[in-house]
Amino acid sequence: MFGARCMCLFLRRCSSVPCAKHAASTKLLRVREALEVQDPTGGDVRVQGWVHSVRSQKQILFLHVNDGSSLESLQVVADPGLESRELTFGSSVEVQGKLIKSPHKRQNVELAADNIRVVGPCDVLAFPLKYKTRHPPEYLRQFPHFRCRSNSLSALLRIRSEATSAIHSYFKENGYIHVHTPILTSNDCEGAGEVFQVEPANEVREPGENPHFFNVPAFLTVSGQLHLEVMAGAFTKVFTFGPTFRADNSQSRRHLAEFYMVEAELSFVESLQDLMQVMEDLFKKVTNTVLSKCSHDVELFHKHVAPGQEAKLEQMLKNTFIIMSYTEAIEILKRARQEFTYKPEWGQDLQSEHERYLVQHCGRIPVFVFNYPYDLKPFYMRDNEDGVHHTVAAVDLLVPEVGELCGGSLREDRVDFLQPRLQRLGLEDTYQWYLELCRFGSTPHGGFGMGFERYLRTILGVENIKDVIPFPRFPNSCVL
């Protein structure tokens, strides 16, 4: 049978004279589309992509070609006479031939090539990615222009794409309006001062002229929340999904200077429980969609990058998330036998070590921690008016390994509470427009944000946040 297949390929090659017109009329398939064909009829097709392996035998030539649409490559079988010096690992090719049933159990179809054209040759000796080598993430980060060709990052990018689509679908199906909030902004929503200021390069200003391009200091956004609050005053439920920036001089596995945030704002909301429900539903429904549509890509991470993560994720999805107050969380931490670097005390912010312990204490099920101390949080969080332990209606969602995944709150819509607080902070003039929102047709409202890269770390088990984004930006590194 093997010899008969070789002879068939040889005869087809001898009797076929490929031409540009014939190639253009041949159906172009993505690799994923070709692999999904259940009953190939031997029709003429074309595939374009990059060579993942070349194996030449005396009577037959084997190629594996991928175009990024699938974790699995498409096997190409050809007459050895079609091989050339330029047909190497990493080269880009266009293959024309017939899609046929494969005799091998591991694959349903293969492409019997009539013609192989090397579009772009690749010097395998100089190419930084090596055949049959599993490069560690630290090595791949050195080559941001090539690492998307590795199996791990190509799988990651397909998962990112599917998760992005699922997030948009979730909000659309639940009646939210998508808003493009600005990247350039004059406010610092978080109030931490970790912002990148933006001014034109090498601009010359006349004496006495305002020194700022926009007449006021402008920054790269740290959050679209305040702009969403404006929009929620007209559209009830809104969301945004885009890049955000923090000038946090940290080299940790948890932080980036540029990352993506999913943020939502809802009007006519008076309960933190309502926000928690949206966060939990968003996490579970998006994750189930990703697991369904990217099963092979997710499996690569669960098998080779984070063994055991599949069971941990299943535990998160099948259980209702746990809810506890900040005060309860502090008591649990104080009773812990573990020694913490930062001693847990009421009134102090939870550190990452505290967050990890709380999730571990709760059986590795995600935990909502709510009602944080008033003095820890920004001006826009709603005062709970709760006496001795003065708190605001804020909530964080903590997940295994990662810690904080989502943060949100009910917003302060009462002018008599908001104005004195802004005065004490010296922000009344800056946020006069926010006070006006409260005065003219405001509603009880709230919202939250979810770090997209932290979400990907949570479902895949990736240790370093730099490995779940195509082009990581962090202190001392802005390559490409």
Side-chain angles (χ1 to χ4, degrees), residues 32 148 176 182 242 280 397 430 436:
R32 182 170 186 169
C148 55
Y176 289 73
E280 184 169 346
L397 174 60
T430 304
E436 290 178 3

Side-chain angles (χ1 to χ4, degrees), residues 271-282 321-324 367-371 394-397 448:
S271 167
L272 274 179
Q273 184 67 46
D274 293 337
L275 289 182
M276 294 182 209
Q277 191 62 57
V278 176
M279 292 185 214
E280 184 169 346
D281 286 349
L282 174 68
F321 293 176
I322 292 168
I323 300 174
M324 69 171 66
V367 181
F368 286 113
V369 178
F370 70 99
N371 286 358
V395 60
D396 288 339
L397 174 60
F448 68 92

Side-chain angles (χ1 to χ4, degrees), residues 280-295:
E280 184 169 346
D281 286 349
L282 174 68
F283 178 88
K284 289 182 175 179
K285 289 181 180 177
V286 170
T287 303
N288 281 324
T289 299
V290 171
L291 293 177
S292 171
K293 296 191 175 182
C294 295
S295 57

Side-chain angles (χ1 to χ4, degrees), residues 80-108:
L82 291 179
E83 188 174 12
S84 71
R85 289 184 179 181
E86 294 184 331
L87 191 59
T88 62
F89 168 69
S91 60
S92 59
V93 296
E94 180 176 81
V95 183
Q96 181 186 326
K98 290 182 167 50
L99 202 61
I100 61 174
K101 190 78 174 175
S102 174
H104 298 286
K105 292 181 180 179
R106 291 186 179 182
Q107 58 207 19
N108 183 52

Side-chain angles (χ1 to χ4, degrees), residues 184-242:
L184 293 174
T185 177
S186 58
N187 65 66
D188 174 9
C189 177
E190 296 298 313
E194 297 170 345
V195 292
F196 291 102
Q197 188 162 347
V198 178
E199 293 292 347
N202 304 318
E203 184 187 35
V204 178
R205 290 266 170 172
E206 296 296 328
E209 189 179 4
N210 191 299
H212 301 296
F213 182 85
F214 295 104
N215 289 339
V216 295
F219 314 99
L220 295 179
T221 182
V222 297
S223 169
Q225 177 207 314
L226 296 180
H227 299 95
L228 283 183
E229 287 194 58
V230 171
M231 294 298 173
F235 295 101
T236 310
K237 297 199 289 187
V238 292
F239 82 101
T240 191
F241 186 178

